[in-house]
Amino acid sequence: MQRYTSYIPYREALEGKGISCIEEVRYFLSRIEDHKNLNAFLEVYGAEALERAEAIDAKIASGTAGKLAGMVIALKDNICHLGHKVSASSKILEGFESIYSSTATERLLAEDAIIIGRTNCDEFAMGSSNENSAYGPVLNPLDHSRVPGGSSGGSAAAVAAGLCHVALGSDTGGSIRQPASFCGVVGFRPTYGRISRHGLLAFASSFDQIGTVTNNMEDAALIMEVISGKDIYDATVSSRPVPEYSKHLETEEKYNLVYLDECVNHPGVDPEIKARFSEILNDLQGLGHPNKNASFPYLDQVIPVYYVLATAEASSNFSRYAGMTYGHRSKDAKTLEEIIVKSRSEGFGPEVKRRIMLGTFVLSEGYYDAYYNKAQKVRRLISDHTNNLLKENDFLILPTAPATAFALGENTADPIAMYLADIFTIQSAIAGLPSISLPLGWHSNGMPFGIQIIGRSYEEEKLLAFSNYLMNKFAKRGK
Ligand code: GLN
């Protein structure tokens, strides 16, 4: 499908003058056109990408090209890119253009990456199937009757279908890892605070994190070292130095792994996913990576805690969409109150409204202690428990999702069933830990599924290296 397995051989070919960025961009543009029915892109910057490719070809020829020269990247439609539209797949931001670039976007551009377009997603990143987009669902490239996962469904589908080299997504409770699992690609959510969220449209600020969707570990590592690190525009970003992740992808170390009984033995886990998971654990044991089980008594609390806290934060973040300073303003509103009420009623989709109402309720007087405060306490318990497990063990290993991609429309009438798709991805988001979904399994229904590894806070280097080892050992289809 793709002509290069990763950026490094592509760059070598660029330097060897065998090929050009222009050819590469043309190739992707024609693939995007051929795969329009996937609805992965909301907008493609064809002419701009070609112009940029030409300029970067010249830089390569003169030896002045940046680290990601010619890498073709898609941005999830909630990441700002100066002078380009950004809508978070919502009607409320229809026509709105970014007035600055996110720090991540700026850093990619400074290293001569090429941004080819913005990808479809669930409205304001709220969802697990991409069916909440105001611009229609995305189809799973491996089976068009199924969803690609969400909320970064367009990013995952674009990478899986070979429409770009890599994509950026955002992960609040699993929105990079779950679609990566459904589409058979690598989805990485770094530690909370590793990458600036300046210019990422906020959903739930104590969870939101930018991350990568790639076909391999090399590309994830390269992008990580470009976009991570301190930023004066985001006070939540750590000033810890950023390692050269791509130079440390090989590891000979033996790691201690822990898995959680309640997750593996959860009745909702597909038996083939469970079988593959056990097989990998067994093989790893044989390769010198001991694993043990542990109990995770909070599995039933993970989804409620997330939905109380994330909706509370969203209800407060979304007060900015009031039809006043930007975004949609209702045409028939006359008074100030009507502007706010009508603009929001017309602009937001049903899932966003459901969450704003839920979030406002859990923050309201009389309920704050029972819901919001209680959820904060349980968040701490889950976080402490997870960090304690990682004190004694190098990595936590678990399936990314309980099942493979479901059919379009299958869960739309049942929000609880939809929320359950994130049962295994929320734990690390609650604890702010780096976590990755690796495409290590294939189901007899023809669909891929991911195995998830959670590492210690800021130990991305080790997590990426171990992931690379796992990809080399287990990623081949059918093993
Ligand atoms: N699917 C989860 C939700 O709907 C997670 C979303 C995300 O990570 N942005 O909230």
Side-chain angles (χ1 to χ4, degrees):
M1 203 187 301
Q2 253 183 285
R3 296 179 294 180
Y4 301 96
T5 50
S6 68
Y7 178 72
I8 296 160
Y10 162 60
R11 177 69 181 256
E12 277 163 10
L14 286 175
E15 300 280 353
K17 315 225 182 327
I19 56 150
S20 66
C21 297
I22 286 248
E23 273 172 62
E24 193 72 357
V25 169
R26 278 203 194 110
Y27 164 77
F28 283 127
L29 290 174
S30 82
R31 278 194 73 84
I32 292 173
E33 189 57 36
D34 293 346
H35 291 78
K36 252 189 158 157
N37 60 331
L38 295 178
N39 201 21
F41 282 90
L42 293 180
E43 192 176 352
V44 178
Y45 313 130
E48 182 187 335
L50 286 168
E51 210 174 284
R52 206 170 144 76
E54 193 177 351
I56 293 166
D57 278 331
K59 278 189 164 185
I60 292 173
S62 65
T64 55
K67 197 168 183 167
L68 303 181
M71 187 188 261
V72 177
I73 302 185
L75 291 182
K76 184 176 179 178
D77 185 39
N78 61 355
I79 298 174
C80 292
H81 180 194
L82 176 66
H84 295 76
K85 289 191 182 124
V86 64
S87 77
S89 293
S90 178
K91 291 275 181 216
I92 210 158
L93 280 174
E94 200 169 17
F96 175 75
E97 268 187 16
S98 298
I99 51 171
Y100 56 85
S101 279
S102 78
T103 300
T105 307
E106 240 168 38
R107 290 181 182 173
L108 292 173
L109 292 173
E111 292 298 343
D112 293 328
I114 298 171
I115 295 178
I116 195 146
R118 59 188 169 102
T119 52
N120 202 344
C121 57
D122 283 299
E123 185 176 357
F124 283 105
M126 294 177 169
S128 307
S129 67
N130 219 118
E131 292 166 296
N132 295 337
S133 166
Y135 300 100
V138 174
L139 310 186
N140 190 310
L142 300 159
D143 176 346
H144 294 180
S145 70
R146 295 176 191 261
V147 303
S151 62
S152 312
S155 291
V159 173
L163 312 185
C164 53
H165 291 128
V166 304
L168 287 192
S170 68
D171 189 309
T172 303
S175 274
I176 289 177
R177 292 161 288 151
Q178 184 257 21
S181 178
F182 282 13
C183 293
V185 292
V186 176
F188 180 46
R189 173 197 169 96
T191 309
Y192 182 83
R194 184 70 292 192
I195 297 176
S196 167
R197 282 102 43 85
H198 173 66
L200 170 69
L201 271 53
F203 159 13
S205 307
S206 76
F207 296 89
D208 295 342
Q209 188 57 67
I210 288 178
T212 57
V213 182
T214 61
N215 278 302
N216 55 65
M217 293 314 304
E218 292 87 352
D219 292 353
L222 264 176
I223 299 177
M224 277 297 296
E225 63 195 52
V226 168
I227 65 176
S228 301
K230 77 170 185 220
D231 178 18
I232 50 163
Y233 297 115
D234 180 354
T236 63
V237 182
S238 166
S239 56
R240 287 167 196 247
V242 177
E244 281 195 285
Y245 301 113
S246 65
K247 301 233 163 73
H248 301 101
L249 280 175
E250 301 305 320
T251 174
E252 306 264 297
E253 295 225 1
K254 303 296 177 203
Y255 296 112
N256 292 317
L257 310 174
V258 60
Y259 65 90
L260 305 172
D261 289 327
E262 289 79 357
C263 296
V264 179
N265 299 318
H266 192 278
V269 178
D270 183 292
E272 288 189 36
I273 296 184
K274 187 172 165 177
R276 177 67 173 148
F277 181 79
S278 307
E279 182 187 38
I280 289 175
L281 275 186
N282 248 332
D283 288 1
L284 283 171
Q285 184 97 36
L287 290 163
H289 304 280
N291 63 73
K292 62 175 184 229
N293 61 331
S295 169
F296 182 56
Y298 306 111
L299 189 64
D300 288 345
Q301 278 74 50
V302 156
I303 289 180
V305 162
Y306 170 77
Y307 277 95
V308 169
L309 297 177
T311 58
E313 293 181 24
S315 79
S316 143
N317 272 329
F318 286 24
S319 60
R320 71 192 60 167
Y321 303 108
M324 304 303 282
T325 36
Y326 46 73
H328 172 74
R329 176 179 292 188
S330 174
K331 299 240 176 336
D332 21 278
K334 293 189 183 60
T335 64
L336 175 65
E337 192 178 335
E338 271 178 19
I339 292 179
I340 297 172
V341 172
K342 290 197 170 170
S343 304
R344 287 166 74 83
S345 302
E346 292 164 8
F348 287 134
E351 181 64 22
V352 177
K353 286 179 185 159
R354 174 167 27 237
R355 295 198 191 195
I356 292 174
M357 287 190 279
L358 183 59
T360 307
F361 171 73
V362 301
L363 289 174
S364 61
E365 197 185 351
Y367 294 100
Y368 185 94
D369 272 342
Y371 294 106
Y372 183 76
N373 251 348
K374 179 69 80 42
Q376 288 290 22
K377 289 179 186 158
V378 184
R379 179 178 197 173
R380 171 52 67 99
L381 287 174
I382 294 171
S383 196
D384 286 352
H385 189 87
T386 309
N387 279 305
N388 281 337
L389 287 171
L390 287 167
K391 269 191 196 127
E392 299 149 28
N393 301 283
D394 297 288
F395 299 109
L396 234 158
I397 178 164
L398 63 169
T400 306
T404 55
F406 43 87
L408 283 153
E410 189 176 326
N411 286 338
T412 35
D414 183 353
I416 303 292
M418 190 71 93
Y419 295 170
L420 275 170
D422 304 314
I423 187 160
F424 300 141
T425 50
I426 289 177
Q427 181 181 2
S428 68
I430 283 182
L433 297 171
S435 37
I436 191 161
S437 176
L438 303 170
L440 304 186
W442 286 90
H443 197 277
S444 60
N445 64 12
M447 298 308 289
F449 58 86
I451 299 296
Q452 184 183 194
I453 314 291
I454 304 178
R456 296 179 191 144
S457 195
Y458 291 101
E459 290 196 356
E460 273 83 6
E461 191 175 316
K462 187 166 128 181
L463 176 59
L464 293 173
F466 183 53
S467 299
N468 193 36
Y469 171 86
L470 293 174
M471 288 289 283
N472 291 334
K473 284 265 181 296
F474 301 107
K476 281 166 222 80
R477 187 169 184 157
K479 208 176 162 193

